[in-house]
Coordinates of all heavy atoms in Angstrom, one line a residue:
M191 N 0.8 -1.3 -0.1 CA 0.1 -0.1 0.0 C 0.8 1.2 0.0 O 1.8 1.4 0.7 CB -0.9 0.1 1.3 CG -2.0 -1.0 1.3 SD -3.4 -0.6 0.1 CE -4.3 0.5 1.1
K192 N 0.5 2.1 -0.8 CA 1.2 3.5 -0.9 C 0.8 4.3 0.2 O 1.5 5.2 0.5 CB 0.9 4.1 -2.2 CG 1.8 3.3 -3.4 CD 1.4 3.9 -4.7 CE 2.3 3.3 -5.6 NZ 1.8 3.7 -7.0
I193 N -0.4 4.3 0.8 CA -0.9 5.1 1.7 C -0.9 4.5 3.1 O -1.2 3.3 3.3 CB -2.3 5.5 1.4 CG1 -2.3 6.3 0.0 CG2 -3.0 6.3 2.5 CD1 -3.6 6.8 -0.6
K194 N -0.4 5.3 4.1 CA -0.4 4.7 5.4 C -1.4 5.5 6.4 O -1.8 6.7 6.1 CB 1.2 5.1 5.9 CG 2.1 4.1 5.2 CD 3.5 4.4 5.8 CE 4.0 5.8 5.5 NZ 5.4 6.1 6.0
K195 N -1.6 4.8 7.5 CA -2.4 5.5 8.4 C -1.7 6.8 8.8 O -0.5 7.0 9.2 CB -2.4 4.6 9.7 CG -3.5 4.7 10.6 CD -3.5 3.4 11.4 CE -4.4 3.6 12.7 NZ -4.6 2.5 13.5
G196 N -2.5 7.9 9.0 CA -1.9 9.1 9.5 C -1.6 10.0 8.3 O -1.4 11.3 8.4
D197 N -1.7 9.5 7.1 CA -1.4 10.4 6.0 C -2.6 11.3 5.7 O -3.8 11.1 6.1 CB -1.4 9.5 4.6 CG 0.0 8.8 4.5 OD1 0.9 9.3 5.3 OD2 0.1 7.9 3.7
Q198 N -2.3 12.4 4.9 CA -3.3 13.3 4.6 C -3.5 13.1 3.1 O -2.7 12.9 2.3 CB -2.9 14.7 4.7 CG -3.8 15.9 4.7 CD -4.7 15.9 6.0 OE1 -4.2 15.2 7.0 NE2 -5.7 16.5 6.0
V199 N -4.8 12.8 2.7 CA -5.2 12.4 1.3 C -6.1 13.4 0.7 O -7.0 13.9 1.5 CB -5.6 10.9 1.2 CG1 -4.5 10.0 1.5 CG2 -6.8 10.7 2.0
K200 N -6.3 13.4 -0.6 CA -7.3 14.2 -1.2 C -8.1 13.2 -2.1 O -7.6 12.4 -2.8 CB -6.6 15.3 -2.1 CG -7.5 16.2 -2.8 CD -6.7 17.2 -3.6 CE -7.7 18.3 -4.1 NZ -6.9 19.4 -4.5
M201 N -9.4 13.4 -2.0 CA -10.3 12.5 -2.8 C -10.3 13.1 -4.3 O -10.4 14.3 -4.6 CB -11.7 12.6 -2.3 CG -12.1 11.9 -1.1 SD -11.8 10.1 -1.2 CE -13.2 9.8 -2.4
L202 N -10.3 12.1 -5.2 CA -10.3 12.4 -6.7 C -11.6 12.3 -7.3 O -11.9 12.9 -8.3 CB -9.3 11.6 -7.4 CG -7.7 11.7 -6.9 CD1 -6.8 10.7 -7.6 CD2 -7.3 13.1 -7.1
S203 N -12.4 11.6 -6.7 CA -13.8 11.4 -7.3 C -14.8 11.2 -6.3 O -14.5 11.1 -5.1 CB -13.7 10.1 -8.3 OG -13.5 9.0 -7.6
G204 N -16.0 11.1 -6.8 CA -17.2 10.8 -5.8 C -17.7 12.0 -5.2 O -17.3 13.1 -5.5
K205 N -18.6 11.9 -4.2 CA -19.3 13.0 -3.7 C -18.4 13.9 -2.8 O -18.7 15.1 -2.7 CB -20.5 12.7 -2.9 CG -20.3 11.7 -1.7 CD -21.4 11.5 -0.9 CE -21.1 10.6 0.3 NZ -21.7 10.8 1.6
D206 N -17.2 13.4 -2.5 CA -16.3 14.1 -1.6 C -15.1 14.5 -2.4 O -14.2 14.8 -1.9 CB -15.9 13.3 -0.4 CG -17.1 13.3 0.6 OD1 -17.8 14.3 0.8 OD2 -17.2 12.2 1.2
K207 N -15.3 14.6 -3.7 CA -14.3 15.0 -4.6 C -13.6 16.4 -4.1 O -14.2 17.4 -3.9 CB -14.7 15.3 -6.0 CG -13.8 15.4 -7.1 CD -14.4 15.5 -8.4 CE -13.3 15.7 -9.5 NZ -13.9 15.8 -10.9
N208 N -12.2 16.4 -4.1 CA -11.3 17.5 -3.8 C -11.4 17.8 -2.4 O -10.7 18.8 -1.8 CB -11.9 18.7 -4.6 CG -11.5 18.5 -6.1 OD1 -10.5 18.0 -6.5 ND2 -12.2 19.2 -7.0
K209 N -12.0 17.0 -1.6 CA -12.0 17.2 -0.1 C -10.8 16.4 0.4 O -10.3 15.5 -0.2 CB -13.2 16.6 0.6 CG -14.5 17.5 0.4 CD -15.5 17.1 1.4 CE -16.8 17.8 1.1 NZ -17.9 17.0 1.7
E210 N -10.4 17.0 1.6 CA -9.2 16.3 2.1 C -9.4 15.7 3.5 O -10.3 16.2 4.3 CB -8.0 17.4 2.2 CG -7.6 17.8 0.9 CD -6.6 19.0 1.0 OE1 -6.0 19.3 2.1 OE2 -6.2 19.5 0.0
G211 N -8.6 14.9 3.9 CA -8.8 14.3 5.2 C -7.7 13.4 5.6 O -6.8 12.9 4.8
K212 N -7.7 12.9 7.0 CA -6.6 12.1 7.5 C -6.9 10.7 7.3 O -8.1 10.4 7.7 CB -6.3 12.6 8.9 CG -5.1 12.1 9.5 CD -4.8 12.7 10.8 CE -4.8 11.5 11.8 NZ -4.8 11.9 13.3
V213 N -6.1 9.8 7.0 CA -6.5 8.5 6.9 C -6.3 7.8 8.3 O -5.4 7.9 9.1 CB -5.2 7.8 6.1 CG1 -5.5 6.2 6.1 CG2 -5.1 8.3 4.7
L214 N -7.5 7.3 8.7 CA -7.7 6.6 10.0 C -7.3 5.2 10.0 O -6.8 4.7 11.0 CB -9.3 6.8 10.4 CG -9.7 8.2 10.6 CD1 -11.2 8.1 11.0 CD2 -8.9 9.0 11.7
N215 N -7.5 4.6 8.9 CA -7.3 3.1 8.8 C -7.1 2.6 7.3 O -7.4 3.3 6.3 CB -8.6 2.4 9.3 CG -8.3 1.1 9.9 OD1 -7.1 0.6 9.9 ND2 -9.3 0.6 10.6
V216 N -6.1 1.7 7.3 CA -5.8 1.1 5.9 C -6.1 -0.4 5.9 O -5.9 -1.1 6.9 CB -4.2 1.3 5.6 CG1 -3.9 0.7 4.3 CG2 -3.9 2.7 5.7
L217 N -6.9 -0.7 4.7 CA -7.4 -2.0 4.6 C -6.7 -2.7 3.4 O -7.1 -2.6 2.3 CB -8.9 -2.1 4.5 CG -9.6 -1.3 5.4 CD1 -11.1 -1.1 4.9 CD2 -9.6 -1.9 6.8
P218 N -5.4 -3.2 3.6 CA -4.5 -3.7 2.4 C -5.3 -4.9 1.7 O -5.2 -4.9 0.5 CB -3.3 -4.2 3.1 CG -3.3 -3.7 4.5 CD -4.7 -3.5 4.9
S219 N -6.0 -5.6 2.4 CA -6.6 -6.8 1.5 C -7.7 -6.4 0.6 O -7.9 -7.1 -0.3 CB -7.3 -7.7 2.6 OG -8.3 -7.0 3.4
T220 N -8.4 -5.3 0.7 CA -9.2 -4.7 -0.2 C -8.8 -3.4 -0.9 O -9.6 -2.8 -1.7 CB -10.6 -4.4 0.4 OG1 -10.3 -3.6 1.6 CG2 -11.3 -5.7 1.0
N221 N -7.6 -3.0 -0.7 CA -6.9 -1.8 -1.1 C -7.9 -0.5 -0.8 O -8.0 0.3 -1.8 CB -6.7 -1.9 -2.7 CG -5.3 -2.2 -3.0 OD1 -4.4 -1.7 -2.5 ND2 -5.2 -3.3 -3.9
K222 N -8.5 -0.6 0.4 CA -9.2 0.6 0.7 C -8.7 1.2 2.0 O -7.9 0.7 2.8 CB -10.7 0.0 1.0 CG -11.4 -0.3 -0.2 CD -12.8 -0.7 0.0 CE -13.6 -0.6 -1.3 NZ -15.1 -1.1 -0.9
I223 N -9.1 2.4 2.1 CA -8.7 3.3 3.2 C -9.9 4.0 3.8 O -10.9 4.3 3.2 CB -7.6 4.3 2.8 CG1 -8.2 5.3 1.7 CG2 -6.4 3.7 2.4 CD1 -7.4 6.4 1.5
V224 N -9.8 4.2 5.1 CA -10.9 4.9 5.8 C -10.4 6.4 6.1 O -9.3 6.5 6.7 CB -11.4 4.3 7.1 CG1 -12.5 5.0 7.8 CG2 -11.8 2.8 6.8
V225 N -10.9 7.4 5.6 CA -10.5 8.8 5.8 C -11.5 9.5 6.7 O -12.7 9.5 6.5 CB -10.4 9.5 4.4 CG1 -9.8 10.8 4.5 CG2 -9.7 8.6 3.4
E226 N -10.9 10.3 7.7 CA -11.7 11.0 8.6 C -12.5 12.0 7.9 O -12.1 12.8 7.0 CB -10.7 11.8 9.5 CG -11.3 12.4 10.7 CD -10.2 13.0 11.6 OE1 -9.2 13.5 11.1 OE2 -10.5 12.9 12.8
G227 N -13.8 12.0 8.2 CA -14.8 12.9 7.6 C -15.2 12.9 6.3 O -16.0 13.6 5.7
L228 N -14.7 11.8 5.6 CA -15.1 11.7 4.1 C -15.9 10.3 3.9 O -15.7 9.4 4.7 CB -13.7 11.6 3.3 CG -12.8 12.8 3.3 CD1 -11.9 12.6 2.2 CD2 -13.7 14.1 3.0
N229 N -16.7 10.3 2.8 CA -17.5 9.2 2.6 C -18.3 8.8 3.7 O -18.4 7.7 4.1 CB -16.7 8.1 2.0 CG -17.5 7.1 1.2 OD1 -18.6 7.5 0.5 ND2 -17.2 5.9 1.1
L230 N -19.0 9.8 4.3 CA -19.7 9.5 5.7 C -21.1 8.8 5.3 O -21.6 9.0 4.4 CB -19.9 10.8 6.3 CG -18.8 11.5 7.0 CD1 -19.3 12.8 7.6 CD2 -18.1 10.7 7.9
L231 N -21.3 7.9 6.2 CA -22.5 7.1 6.1 C -23.3 7.5 7.4 O -22.8 7.4 8.4 CB -22.2 5.7 6.0 CG -23.4 4.7 5.9 CD1 -23.9 4.7 4.5 CD2 -22.8 3.3 6.3
K232 N -24.6 7.7 7.3 CA -25.4 8.0 8.5 C -25.8 6.6 9.0 O -26.5 5.8 8.2 CB -26.7 8.8 8.0 CG -26.3 10.3 7.9 CD -27.5 11.0 8.2 CE -27.2 12.6 8.3 NZ -27.3 13.3 7.0
K233 N -25.6 6.4 10.1 CA -26.0 5.1 10.9 C -26.9 5.4 11.9 O -26.8 6.3 12.8 CB -24.7 4.5 11.5 CG -24.3 3.3 10.8 CD -23.2 2.5 11.6 CE -22.9 1.2 11.0 NZ -21.8 0.6 11.7
H234 N -28.1 4.7 11.9 CA -29.0 4.9 12.9 C -28.7 4.0 14.0 O -28.7 2.8 13.8 CB -30.5 4.7 12.4 CG -30.7 5.7 11.3 ND1 -31.4 6.9 11.5 CD2 -30.4 5.7 10.0 CE1 -31.6 7.5 10.5 NE2 -31.0 6.9 9.5
Q235 N -28.5 4.6 15.2 CA -28.1 3.8 16.4 C -29.3 3.5 17.2 O -30.0 4.6 17.6 CB -27.0 4.4 17.1 CG -26.1 3.6 17.9 CD -24.8 4.2 18.3 OE1 -25.0 5.2 19.2 NE2 -23.7 3.8 17.9
R236 N -29.8 2.4 17.5 CA -30.9 2.3 18.4 C -30.5 2.4 19.8 O -29.3 2.3 20.3 CB -31.4 0.9 18.1 CG -32.2 0.7 17.0 CD -33.1 -0.5 17.1 NE -32.2 -1.7 17.3 CZ -32.8 -2.8 17.4 NH1 -34.0 -3.1 17.4 NH2 -31.9 -3.9 17.6
A237 N -31.4 2.7 20.7 CA -31.2 2.9 22.0 C -30.8 1.6 22.7 O -31.5 0.6 22.3 CB -32.5 3.4 22.7
K238 N -29.7 1.7 23.4 CA -29.3 0.4 24.0 C -30.0 0.0 25.4 O -30.3 -1.0 25.8 CB -27.8 0.2 24.3 CG -27.1 0.3 22.9 CD -25.6 0.2 23.1 CE -24.8 0.3 21.8 NZ -24.2 1.8 21.7
K239 N -30.3 1.2 26.1 CA -31.0 1.0 27.4 C -32.4 1.7 27.3 O -32.4 2.7 26.5 CB -30.1 1.7 28.4 CG -28.8 1.0 28.8 CD -28.0 1.6 29.9 CE -26.7 2.1 29.2 NZ -26.0 3.2 29.9
Q240 N -33.0 1.3 28.2 CA -34.2 2.0 28.1 C -34.2 3.3 28.7 O -33.3 3.6 29.6 CB -35.3 1.2 29.1 CG -36.8 1.2 28.6 CD -37.7 0.3 29.3 OE1 -37.3 -0.1 30.4 NE2 -38.8 0.0 28.8
G241 N -35.0 4.3 28.1 CA -34.9 5.6 28.6 C -33.8 6.5 27.7 O -33.7 7.7 27.7
E242 N -32.9 5.7 26.9 CA -31.9 6.3 26.2 C -32.5 6.6 24.8 O -33.3 5.8 24.3 CB -30.8 5.3 26.1 CG -29.4 6.0 25.9 CD -28.3 5.0 25.8 OE1 -28.4 4.1 25.0 OE2 -27.3 5.2 26.5
K243 N -32.1 7.7 24.2 CA -32.7 7.9 22.8 C -31.7 7.2 21.6 O -30.6 7.2 21.8 CB -32.6 9.4 22.5 CG -33.9 10.1 22.8 CD -34.0 11.4 22.3 CE -34.9 12.4 23.0 NZ -34.5 13.7 22.8
G244 N -32.4 6.9 20.6 CA -31.7 6.3 19.5 C -31.1 7.6 18.8 O -31.7 8.7 19.0
Q245 N -30.0 7.4 18.2 CA -29.5 8.6 17.4 C -28.8 8.2 16.1 O -28.5 7.1 15.9 CB -28.5 9.3 18.4 CG -27.3 8.3 18.9 CD -26.4 9.0 19.7 OE1 -26.3 10.1 19.9 NE2 -25.5 8.2 20.4
V246 N -28.5 9.3 15.3 CA -28.1 9.0 14.0 C -26.5 9.5 14.2 O -26.2 10.7 14.6 CB -28.6 9.9 13.0 CG1 -28.0 9.7 11.6 CG2 -30.1 9.7 12.8
V247 N -25.5 8.6 13.9 CA -24.2 9.0 14.0 C -23.6 8.8 12.5 O -24.1 8.0 11.8 CB -23.5 7.9 14.9 CG1 -23.7 8.2 16.3 CG2 -23.6 6.4 14.6
E248 N -22.6 9.7 12.3 CA -22.1 9.6 10.9 C -20.7 8.8 11.1 O -19.8 9.3 11.8 CB -21.8 11.0 10.3 CG -23.1 11.6 10.0 CD -22.9 12.9 9.1 OE1 -22.1 13.6 9.5 OE2 -23.7 13.0 8.2
V249 N -20.5 7.9 10.4 CA -19.3 7.1 10.3 C -18.6 7.1 8.9 O -19.2 6.9 8.0 CB -19.4 5.6 10.8 CG1 -19.7 5.6 12.3 CG2 -20.5 5.0 10.0
P250 N -17.3 7.2 8.8 CA -16.6 7.3 7.6 C -16.6 5.9 7.1 O -16.3 4.9 7.8 CB -15.2 7.8 7.9 CG -15.0 7.8 9.3 CD -16.4 7.6 10.1
R251 N -16.9 5.6 5.8 CA -16.8 4.4 5.1 C -15.6 4.2 4.3 O -15.0 5.3 3.8 CB -18.1 4.2 4.2 CG -19.1 3.1 4.7 CD -20.1 3.0 3.8 NE -20.4 3.9 2.8 CZ -21.0 3.7 1.8 NH1 -21.5 2.5 1.6 NH2 -21.4 4.6 0.9
A252 N -15.2 3.1 4.3 CA -13.8 2.8 3.3 C -14.0 3.3 2.0 O -15.1 3.2 1.4 CB -13.4 1.4 3.4
V253 N -13.0 3.9 1.4 CA -13.0 4.3 0.0 C -11.7 3.6 -0.7 O -10.7 3.3 0.0 CB -12.9 5.8 -0.3 CG1 -14.1 6.5 0.2 CG2 -11.6 6.4 0.4
A254 N -11.9 3.4 -2.0 CA -10.8 2.7 -2.7 C -9.6 3.8 -2.7 O -9.6 4.9 -2.9 CB -11.1 2.6 -4.1
A255 N -8.4 3.1 -2.3 CA -7.1 3.9 -2.2 C -6.8 4.5 -3.4 O -6.3 5.7 -3.6 CB -6.0 3.1 -1.9
A256 N -7.3 3.9 -4.6 CA -7.0 4.5 -6.0 C -7.7 5.8 -6.3 O -7.3 6.5 -7.1 CB -7.2 3.5 -7.0
K257 N -8.8 6.1 -5.5 CA -9.5 7.2 -5.7 C -9.1 8.4 -4.9 O -9.6 9.4 -4.9 CB -11.0 6.9 -5.3 CG -11.7 6.1 -6.4 CD -13.1 6.0 -5.9 CE -13.9 5.2 -6.9 NZ -15.3 5.0 -6.5
T258 N -7.8 8.1 -4.2 CA -7.4 9.2 -3.4 C -5.9 9.5 -3.9 O -5.3 8.7 -4.6 CB -7.3 9.0 -2.0 OG1 -6.4 7.8 -1.8 CG2 -8.7 8.5 -1.5
M259 N -5.4 10.7 -3.5 CA -4.1 11.1 -3.7 C -3.4 11.5 -2.5 O -4.1 12.3 -1.7 CB -4.1 12.1 -4.8 CG -3.0 12.1 -5.7 SD -3.2 13.2 -7.0 CE -2.0 12.4 -8.2
L260 N -2.2 11.1 -2.3 CA -1.5 11.5 -1.0 C -1.1 13.0 -1.1 O -0.7 13.5 -2.2 CB -0.3 10.7 -1.0 CG 0.6 10.8 0.3 CD1 0.0 10.5 1.5 CD2 2.1 10.4 0.0
I261 N -1.3 13.7 0.0 CA -0.7 15.0 0.1 C 0.6 14.9 0.7 O 0.7 14.6 1.8 CB -1.8 16.0 0.7 CG1 -3.0 16.0 0.0 CG2 -1.2 17.4 0.9 CD1 -4.1 16.8 0.8
C262 N 1.7 15.5 -0.1 CA 3.0 15.3 0.3 C 3.2 16.3 1.7 O 2.7 17.4 1.6 CB 3.8 15.8 -0.6 SG 5.7 16.0 -0.2
S263 N 3.8 15.8 2.6 CA 4.1 16.5 3.9 C 5.0 17.4 3.8 O 5.3 18.4 4.6 CB 4.3 15.6 5.1 OG 5.4 14.7 4.9
A264 N 5.9 17.4 2.7 CA 7.0 18.3 2.5 C 6.5 19.5 1.6 O 6.8 20.6 2.0 CB 8.2 17.5 1.9
C265 N 5.9 19.2 0.5 CA 5.6 20.3 -0.5 C 4.1 20.6 -0.4 O 3.7 21.6 -1.1 CB 6.0 19.9 -1.9 SG 5.2 18.5 -2.6
N266 N 3.3 19.8 0.4 CA 1.9 20.2 0.6 C 1.1 20.1 -0.7 O 0.1 20.8 -0.7 CB 1.8 21.6 1.3 CG 1.2 21.4 2.7 OD1 0.4 20.6 2.9 ND2 1.8 22.1 3.6
K267 N 1.4 19.4 -1.6 CA 0.7 19.2 -2.8 C 0.2 17.7 -3.0 O 0.8 16.9 -2.5 CB 1.5 19.6 -4.0 CG 1.7 21.1 -4.2 CD 2.6 21.4 -5.4 CE 3.3 22.6 -5.3 NZ 4.6 22.7 -5.8
P268 N -0.9 17.4 -3.7 CA -1.4 16.2 -3.9 C -0.3 15.5 -4.9 O -0.1 16.3 -5.9 CB -2.7 16.3 -4.6 CG -3.1 17.7 -4.5 CD -1.9 18.5 -4.2
T269 N 0.2 14.4 -4.7 CA 1.2 13.8 -5.5 C 1.1 12.3 -5.6 O 0.5 11.7 -4.9 CB 2.6 14.3 -4.8 OG1 3.7 13.8 -5.8 CG2 2.7 13.6 -3.5
R270 N 1.8 12.0 -6.6 CA 1.9 10.4 -6.7 C 3.3 10.0 -5.9 O 4.2 10.9 -5.7 CB 2.2 10.1 -8.2 CG 0.9 10.3 -9.0 CD 1.0 9.6 -10.3 NE 1.9 10.0 -11.2 CZ 2.8 9.3 -12.0 NH1 2.7 7.9 -11.9 NH2 3.7 9.8 -12.7
V271 N 3.3 8.8 -5.6 CA 4.3 8.5 -4.7 C 5.2 7.3 -5.5 O 4.7 6.6 -6.1 CB 3.9 7.9 -3.3 CG1 3.5 9.1 -2.6 CG2 3.1 6.8 -3.5
G272 N 6.5 7.4 -5.0 CA 7.4 6.4 -5.5 C 8.2 5.8 -4.4 O 8.0 6.3 -3.2
F273 N 9.0 4.8 -4.6 CA 9.8 4.3 -3.7 C 11.3 4.2 -4.1 O 11.6 3.9 -5.2 CB 9.3 2.7 -3.3 CG 7.9 2.8 -2.7 CD1 6.7 2.6 -3.4 CD2 7.8 2.8 -1.3 CE1 5.4 2.5 -2.9 CE2 6.6 2.9 -0.7 CZ 5.4 2.7 -1.5
R274 N 12.1 4.2 -3.1 CA 13.5 4.1 -3.3 C 14.1 3.7 -2.0 O 13.6 3.7 -1.0 CB 14.1 5.4 -3.9 CG 14.4 6.5 -2.9 CD 15.3 7.5 -3.3 NE 15.3 8.5 -2.3 CZ 15.1 9.9 -2.4 NH1 15.0 10.3 -3.8 NH2 15.2 10.8 -1.4
S275 N 15.4 3.1 -2.1 CA 16.1 2.6 -1.0 C 17.0 3.9 -0.5 O 17.6 4.6 -1.2 CB 17.0 1.4 -1.3 OG 16.3 0.4 -1.8
N276 N 16.9 4.0 0.9 CA 17.7 5.0 1.4 C 19.1 4.5 1.9 O 19.4 3.4 1.4 CB 17.1 5.7 2.8 CG 16.9 4.7 3.9 OD1 17.3 3.6 3.8 ND2 16.3 5.1 4.9
E277 N 19.9 5.2 2.5 CA 21.3 4.9 2.8 C 21.4 3.7 3.5 O 22.3 2.8 3.4 CB 22.0 6.1 3.6 CG 22.0 7.4 2.9 CD 20.6 8.1 3.2 OE1 20.2 8.0 4.2 OE2 19.9 8.5 2.2
A278 N 20.5 3.5 4.4 CA 20.4 2.3 5.3 C 19.9 1.0 4.5 O 19.9 0.0 5.1 CB 19.7 2.4 6.5
G279 N 19.6 1.4 3.2 CA 18.9 0.0 2.5 C 17.5 -0.2 2.8 O 16.9 -1.2 2.3
R280 N 16.9 0.8 3.5 CA 15.4 0.6 3.8 C 14.6 1.3 2.7 O 14.9 2.2 2.1 CB 15.1 1.3 5.0 CG 14.2 0.5 6.0 CD 14.2 1.2 7.3 NE 13.8 2.6 7.3 CZ 12.6 3.0 7.4 NH1 11.5 2.3 7.6 NH2 12.5 4.5 7.3
K281 N 13.4 0.6 2.4 CA 12.7 1.1 1.3 C 11.8 2.4 1.9 O 11.2 2.3 3.1 CB 11.7 0.0 0.8 CG 11.1 0.3 -0.5 CD 10.5 -0.8 -1.1 CE 9.1 -0.9 -0.7 NZ 8.2 -1.9 -1.4
V282 N 12.0 3.5 1.2 CA 11.2 4.7 1.7 C 10.4 5.2 0.7 O 10.6 4.9 -0.5 CB 12.2 5.8 2.2 CG1 13.0 5.4 3.4 CG2 13.2 6.2 1.1
R283 N 9.4 5.9 1.1 CA 8.3 6.4 0.2 C 8.8 7.8 -0.2 O 9.2 8.6 0.6 CB 7.1 6.4 0.9 CG 5.8 6.6 -0.1 CD 4.5 6.5 0.6 NE 4.4 7.5 1.6 CZ 3.4 7.7 2.4 NH1 2.4 7.0 2.2 NH2 3.4 8.5 3.2
I284 N 8.8 8.1 -1.5 CA 9.1 9.5 -1.9 C 8.0 10.2 -2.7 O 7.2 9.6 -3.4 CB 10.5 9.6 -2.7 CG1 10.3 8.6 -3.9 CG2 11.6 9.2 -1.9 CD1 11.1 9.0 -5.1
C285 N 7.9 11.5 -2.6 CA 7.0 12.3 -3.5 C 7.6 12.5 -4.7 O 8.7 12.9 -5.0 CB 7.0 13.6 -2.6 SG 6.2 14.9 -3.6
K286 N 6.7 12.3 -5.8 CA 7.4 12.3 -7.2 C 7.4 13.9 -7.6 O 8.1 14.2 -8.6 CB 6.4 11.6 -8.1 CG 6.6 10.1 -7.8 CD 6.3 9.3 -9.2 CE 6.8 7.9 -9.0 NZ 6.1 7.1 -10.1
K287 N 7.0 14.7 -6.8 CA 7.0 16.1 -7.2 C 8.3 16.8 -6.5 O 9.0 17.5 -7.3 CB 5.8 17.0 -6.7 CG 4.6 16.7 -7.6 CD 3.5 17.7 -7.4 CE 2.5 17.6 -8.5 NZ 1.0 17.6 -8.0
C288 N 8.5 16.5 -5.3 CA 9.6 17.2 -4.7 C 10.8 16.3 -4.3 O 11.8 16.6 -3.8 CB 9.2 18.1 -3.5 SG 8.6 17.1 -2.1
N289 N 10.6 15.1 -4.6 CA 11.6 13.9 -4.3 C 11.9 13.8 -2.8 O 13.0 13.2 -2.6 CB 12.7 14.3 -5.2 CG 12.7 13.4 -6.4 OD1 12.3 12.3 -6.5 ND2 13.1 14.1 -7.5
Q290 N 11.2 14.4 -1.9 CA 11.4 14.2 -0.5 C 10.8 12.9 0.0 O 9.9 12.4 -0.5 CB 10.7 15.4 0.2 CG 11.3 16.7 0.1 CD 12.8 16.9 0.6 OE1 13.0 16.4 1.7 NE2 13.8 17.3 -0.3
E291 N 11.6 12.4 1.1 CA 11.1 11.1 1.7 C 9.8 11.5 2.3 O 9.6 12.7 2.9 CB 12.0 10.7 2.8 CG 13.1 9.8 2.2 CD 13.9 9.3 3.3 OE1 13.4 9.1 4.5 OE2 15.1 9.1 3.1
N292 N 8.8 10.6 2.3 CA 7.6 11.0 2.9 C 7.0 9.9 3.9 O 7.3 8.8 3.7 CB 6.6 11.1 1.7 CG 5.7 12.3 1.7 OD1 4.8 12.4 2.7 ND2 5.9 13.2 0.9
Ligands
ZN590 ZN1 6.5 16.7 -2.1

């Protein structure tokens, strides 16, 4: 996965197109991510106890990672990412715009 938890991403399509949010969760098996405040689904929660009111809560639903673009933390632009090995031989993610490790 190119996108990690905690990343800032921008939606490229759908009803939340061009909106940005923080990645809360990554689901590698389905190539999906959950982004804070995006692709919200209204969920009706029933009262669990007597006397308590049922309520509507909004929860973010997973979106396809391919429909989002990472926002580079170095240059602050939506960008594609690449990978390269650093001095220690570890694979690091880089921004294709500014070439900074990300
Ligand atoms: Zn960058």
Side-chain angles (χ1 to χ4, degrees):
M191 289 286 281
K192 288 178 177 172
I193 292 177
K194 293 182 294 187
K195 204 167 165 175
D197 280 347
Q198 198 75 16
V199 294
K200 184 173 187 166
M201 282 296 294
L202 299 178
S203 65
K205 65 174 172 137
D206 287 323
K207 189 174 174 179
N208 291 329
K209 283 192 193 167
E210 296 173 8
K212 195 176 124 191
V213 178
L214 297 178
N215 210 353
V216 176
L217 315 163
S219 57
T220 52
N221 263 314
K222 285 184 167 181
I223 56 172
V224 179
V225 186
E226 189 173 38
L228 296 190
N229 202 27
L230 292 177
L231 179 77
K232 280 203 169 89
K233 246 191 174 167
H234 297 264
Q235 210 168 56
R236 281 197 304 173
K238 289 183 191 107
K239 285 177 249 158
Q240 217 173 11
E242 207 180 54
K243 263 195 206 156
Q245 54 180 350
V246 181
V247 288
E248 289 193 317
V249 287
R251 251 186 335 162
V253 293
K257 286 185 179 171
T258 66
M259 214 172 204
L260 177 75
I261 295 172
C262 172
S263 55
C265 65
N266 246 324
K267 289 179 197 144
T269 183
R270 291 198 295 140
V271 292
F273 290 95
R274 71 163 175 229
S275 297
N276 67 5
E277 308 77 47
R280 216 168 59 91
K281 203 166 91 168
V282 292
R283 196 172 62 170
I284 54 156
C285 165
K286 288 210 171 165
K287 278 196 176 137
C288 66
N289 269 315
Q290 289 293 310
E291 273 183 33
N292 222 295

